[in-house]
């Protein structure tokens, strides 16, 4: 609906959505009981029946995943019903979604610790509070406390087989350097890889998106950037450093089970244009006519100096580009420098856009100005130049001090 505005398609598909929701109404609770989920979660220890947040580094909270997506199905039907002016179905679906939301909130606030976890949980499973914050399951009066407690989560060591093989082949000098940079931990005579909650990723197929979007949308974009730009195990950098040319299916190395070319963890690719660059379809738009420009700037150019993205739509391409300007020559001064941020927006003739800027710390040195461009940028030339620069970096393998391949002959 956001992209194409096809009401005929919604009219045709709504009966199928309703039948699916009616099926869930009849079978969901009974199915959960048959799969050993007790109603009050008194015996639930997490990681029950079902896939849940698949291939995460943490144990999975399958109850939260199943129930939250039941709620999401009801919300989707309510949204479609609203677009078709079906007031009765919209009201009925919203009431069901709210009932499910309250059920989750009651159970996950029951322990009184405001960490939004199941009663016997230990703030370790995934998805954690990030999904419930993003989808507004957490009640408004608890959101700040739950967000604060989410930041208390920590990482852990990783005992993966392929990682152990890598460490066996690693030169001692490299191992010591990786301990210094925080990529490895030394315990006794052994080296171990670990994953970080805030310097990398541990989330699976669902929670990775919720974690990044929740951080960026609630004023902690710098932490989202830190997760995405982290190095070592559990990061995109780890994949590239081991010769990846596309995303892996899992955060860990896998030579014979999981794919090396898979969109499994690809939610980071949606977050980059929508939050890092700052362009996405407006939440209530129809037919892609209205776009939201909402760039979140890092606290310092030391983290990121510029970003750009294009959002296609039936009415044409919307694009944004921003960069820090007047930066000092000495990068060590980036954190304290007074700089300029230049933002350029491109809106097609029949398009509509909303610009939302992050809170600006106004002072005597802060100024804001808006002007219309007198010339149209050559976007094709800019894309070619950007592609050329990226290809040069790839060929030179810039940024990756070592790479390693599995020696199948030796392993045999």
């Amino acid at each position: 609906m956001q992209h194409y505005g096809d009401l005929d398609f919604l009219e045709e598909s709504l009966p199928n959505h309703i039948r699916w929701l009616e099926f869930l109404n009849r079978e969901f609770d009974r199915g959960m009981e048959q799969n050993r989920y007790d109603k009050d979660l008194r015996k639930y220890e997490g990681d029950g029946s079902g896939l849940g947040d698949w291939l995460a580094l943490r144990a999975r909270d399958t109850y939260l995943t199943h129930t939250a997506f039941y709620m999401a199905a009801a919300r989707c039907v309510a949204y479609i019903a609203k677009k078709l002016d079906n007031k009765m179905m919209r009201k009925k679906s919203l009431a069901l979604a709210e009932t499910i939301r309250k059920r989750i909130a009651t159970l996950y606030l029951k322990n009184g610790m405001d960490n939004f976890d199941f009663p016997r949980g230990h703030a370790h499973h995934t998805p954690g509070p990030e999904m419930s914050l993003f989808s507004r399951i957490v009640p408004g009066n608890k959101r700040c406390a739950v967000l604060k407690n989410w930041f208390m989560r920590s990482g852990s060591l990783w005992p993966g087989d392929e990682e152990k093989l890598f460490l066996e082949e690693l030169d001692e000098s490299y191992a010591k350097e990786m301990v210094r940079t925080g990529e490895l931990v030394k315990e006794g005579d052994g080296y171990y890889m670990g994953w970080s909650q805030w310097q990398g990723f541990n989330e699976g197929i669902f929670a990775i998106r919720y974690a990044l979007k929740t951080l960026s949308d609630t004023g902690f974009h710098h932490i989202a950037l830190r997760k995405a730009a982290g190095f070592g195990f559990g990061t995109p950098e780890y994949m590239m450093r081991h010769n990846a040319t596309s995303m892996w299916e899992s955060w860990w190395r896998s030579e014979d089970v999981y794919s090396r070319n898979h969109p499994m963890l690809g939610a980071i690719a949606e977050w980059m244009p929508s939050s890092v660059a700052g362009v996405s379809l407006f939440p209530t738009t129809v037919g892609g006519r209205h776009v939201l420009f909402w760039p979140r700037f890092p606290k310092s150019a030391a983290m990121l100096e510029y970003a750009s993205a294009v959002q296609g739509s039936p009415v044409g391409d919307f694009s944004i580009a921003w960069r820090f300007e007047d930066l000092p020559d000495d990068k060590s001064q980036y954190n304290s420098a007074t700089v300029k941020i230049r933002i350029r927006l491109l809106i097609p003739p029949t398009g509509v856009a909303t610009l939302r800027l992050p809170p600006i710390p106004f002072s005597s040195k802060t100024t804001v100005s808006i002007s219309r461009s007198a010339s149209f940028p050559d976007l094709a030339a800019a894309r070619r130049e950007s592609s050329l620069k990226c290809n040069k970096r790839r060929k030179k393998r810039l940024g990756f001090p070592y790479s390693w391949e599995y020696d199948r002959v030796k392993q045999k």
Side-chain angles (χ1 to χ4, degrees):
M1 193 63 192
Q2 277 186 307
H3 284 274
Y4 302 110
D6 190 344
L7 288 173
D8 291 338
F9 177 73
L10 292 187
E11 188 79 50
E12 178 184 339
S13 62
L14 180 58
N16 295 326
H17 292 296
I18 292 174
R19 280 195 290 272
W20 168 245
L21 194 58
E22 289 174 344
F23 169 79
L24 290 177
N25 289 341
R26 291 193 311 269
E27 303 294 339
F28 186 85
D29 290 341
R30 181 169 58 185
M32 293 292 279
E33 290 177 7
Q34 289 176 349
N35 284 281
R36 300 180 181 179
Y37 291 94
D38 57 297
K39 186 176 181 180
D40 297 323
L41 300 185
R42 288 191 297 266
K43 301 178 181 179
Y44 178 61
E45 299 283 354
D47 216 0
S49 175
L51 297 179
D53 196 18
W54 185 237
L55 295 186
L57 300 178
R58 294 181 180 275
R60 297 165 296 161
D61 184 352
T62 46
Y63 176 88
L64 180 58
T65 307
H66 300 335
T67 311
F69 274 80
Y70 179 19
M71 178 198 71
R75 286 180 175 178
C76 287
V77 172
Y79 172 80
I80 297 171
K82 179 181 179 181
K83 293 300 179 183
L84 297 175
D85 200 29
N86 188 333
K87 296 179 181 177
M88 182 178 296
M89 180 52 62
R90 177 175 181 267
K91 182 179 180 180
K92 182 178 179 181
S93 301
L94 282 178
L96 173 60
E98 180 62 10
T99 297
I100 300 169
R101 186 199 69 78
K102 288 181 177 178
R103 179 196 302 180
I104 299 172
T106 298
L107 290 171
Y108 279 66
L109 291 170
K110 193 173 182 179
N111 62 17
M113 299 173 66
D114 288 343
N115 57 5
F116 216 77
D117 202 3
F118 54 90
R120 301 185 70 173
H122 302 285
H124 180 75
H125 289 69
T126 183
E130 68 284 318
M131 183 174 80
S132 300
L133 288 165
F134 177 82
S135 56
R136 303 296 192 272
I137 296 176
V138 179
N141 65 330
K142 291 290 186 179
R143 287 179 62 81
C144 289
V146 170
L147 181 64
K148 179 180 177 181
N149 286 319
W150 180 35
F151 287 128
M152 302 298 290
R153 289 193 168 200
S154 59
S156 182
L157 297 179
W158 177 254
D161 292 338
E162 298 295 339
E163 281 66 41
K164 288 179 181 177
L165 288 172
F166 170 82
L167 294 176
E168 289 176 4
E169 300 289 335
L170 194 64
D171 184 85
E172 182 72 14
S173 62
Y174 274 131
K176 290 180 179 179
E177 176 63 15
M178 292 173 72
V179 170
R180 188 189 68 80
T181 59
E183 296 174 78
L184 294 181
V185 174
K186 185 173 184 181
E187 291 190 357
D189 295 329
Y191 293 99
Y192 301 91
M193 286 191 181
W195 52 267
S196 169
Q197 173 69 33
W198 306 112
Q199 305 285 350
F201 292 101
N202 61 84
E203 299 84 1
I205 187 171
F206 297 133
I208 181 174
R209 178 174 187 262
Y210 303 131
L212 291 171
K213 296 291 280 187
T214 297
L215 289 168
S216 292
D217 290 356
T218 55
F220 295 95
H221 183 59
H222 59 294
I223 298 179
L225 287 172
R226 196 166 70 191
K227 283 174 72 69
F231 58 89
F233 181 76
T235 68
E237 184 268 354
Y238 179 77
M239 300 179 190
M240 291 187 286
R241 192 178 276 198
H242 289 80
N243 303 319
T245 55
S246 59
M247 290 288 288
W248 296 348
E249 186 179 5
S250 62
W251 291 118
W252 57 91
R253 288 178 58 85
S254 175
E255 297 296 333
D256 51 9
V257 179
Y258 299 112
S259 172
R260 292 286 193 91
N261 180 16
H262 203 287
M264 171 79 187
L265 304 169
I268 190 173
E270 185 271 338
W271 165 79
M272 286 191 288
S274 65
S275 297
V276 180
V279 58
S280 61
L281 293 177
F282 198 81
T284 58
T285 190
V286 175
R289 296 181 181 87
H290 191 175
V291 154
L292 172 64
F293 290 118
W294 185 11
R296 285 78 152 182
F297 307 118
K299 291 183 177 295
S300 167
M303 171 62 75
L304 186 68
E305 293 186 29
Y306 58 88
S308 64
V310 177
Q311 171 66 59
S313 82
V315 301
D317 287 347
F318 295 78
S319 64
I320 182 173
W322 62 261
R323 70 184 182 195
F324 286 100
E325 295 186 346
D326 299 341
L327 289 166
D329 294 333
D330 185 355
K331 289 190 175 183
S332 66
Q333 299 177 13
Y334 276 14
N335 290 342
S336 58
T338 299
V339 299
K340 179 192 296 183
I341 301 177
R342 183 183 296 275
I343 310 170
R344 287 190 172 183
L345 311 175
L346 179 64
I347 304 167
T350 59
V352 178
T354 297
L355 173 61
R356 176 177 178 179
L357 294 175
I360 301 173
F362 283 101
S363 68
S364 58
K365 296 182 179 181
T366 303
T367 59
V368 177
S369 62
I370 299 176
S371 62
R372 292 179 179 272
S373 176
S375 61
F376 194 81
D378 188 343
L379 295 179
R383 291 192 188 104
R384 287 195 299 271
E385 183 179 348
S386 176
S387 179
L388 181 63
K389 186 178 293 186
C390 287
N391 285 332
K392 286 181 178 179
R393 288 185 60 84
R394 289 192 190 102
K395 289 179 180 179
K396 292 181 179 180
R397 303 183 67 83
L398 295 178
F400 307 112
Y402 66 84
S403 60
W404 184 73
E405 278 299 323
Y406 191 89
D407 188 337
R408 294 184 180 277
V409 176
K410 183 175 180 180
Q411 293 306 323
K412 288 180 180 178

